[in-house]
Amino acid sequence: MTNNIESITAVYNDVELIQASLESIKDHVDKIHIVEGSWFPNQSKRSTDGTIEVIQAFKDRNPDKVEIYFHDYAPNAMHNQPGLSNANAIANAMLARQRALSCVKSDWVFMVDSDEVYKSD
């Protein structure tokens, strides 16, 4: 099915829901762009709970539909920005999503959080 729509999902340590989230959108989008990695300091750079293995298995079953990118925490993504709590985490979340967004080639983008699961209707 071609919908001329691609999705982007940023994920870190969400093994409980990432499989269900990806399955719930796969028939509604042409391509799924997944960005994996921590947005916060003092955390492991990559998921440690099995998330990466679940994503890779999903990609193996859907090789032409899934792209995986890795985000490395940028300690100075945003500094000296008053008024934001966790400003650097917010900036890193934006960078991760922008990475995936830069690879989208369709006219429409569906931004899906890794813990969102959609009903087929």
Side-chain angles (χ1 to χ4, degrees):
M1 169 185 262
T2 301
N3 297 310
N4 197 31
I5 186 168
E6 298 178 42
S7 70
I8 60 173
T9 299
V11 61
Y12 180 77
N13 279 344
D14 198 5
V15 72
E16 290 88 14
L17 289 174
I18 189 63
Q19 175 73 33
S21 179
L22 296 173
E23 290 289 345
S24 77
I25 64 169
K26 77 175 183 181
D27 293 332
H28 305 287
V29 298
D30 299 304
K31 184 73 97 173
I32 300 172
H33 302 274
I34 304 166
V35 182
E36 202 289 328
S38 176
W39 305 343
F40 294 94
N42 305 319
Q43 287 184 328
S44 175
K45 192 168 161 179
R46 302 284 174 253
S47 291
T48 57
D49 66 348
T51 295
I52 296 172
E53 292 79 4
V54 169
I55 294 168
Q56 187 60 54
F58 183 82
K59 179 178 172 54
D60 291 346
R61 290 189 308 277
N62 304 277
D64 296 330
K65 186 161 249 186
V66 179
E67 294 294 333
I68 303 170
Y69 315 96
F70 293 96
H71 172 72
D72 291 332
Y73 175 79
N76 296 312
M78 178 180 275
H79 47 277
N80 300 322
Q81 297 294 320
L84 293 175
S85 63
N86 298 317
N88 211 57
I90 293 167
N92 270 271
M94 290 186 305
L95 288 173
R97 287 188 174 110
Q98 286 174 346
R99 168 84 190 277
L101 191 56
S102 71
C103 298
V104 169
K105 293 178 177 53
S106 66
D107 295 330
W108 295 92
V109 178
F110 184 23
M111 189 176 339
V112 180
D113 286 340
S114 62
D115 61 353
E116 293 178 336
V117 178
Y118 292 89
K119 295 181 181 181
S120 61
D121 59 349

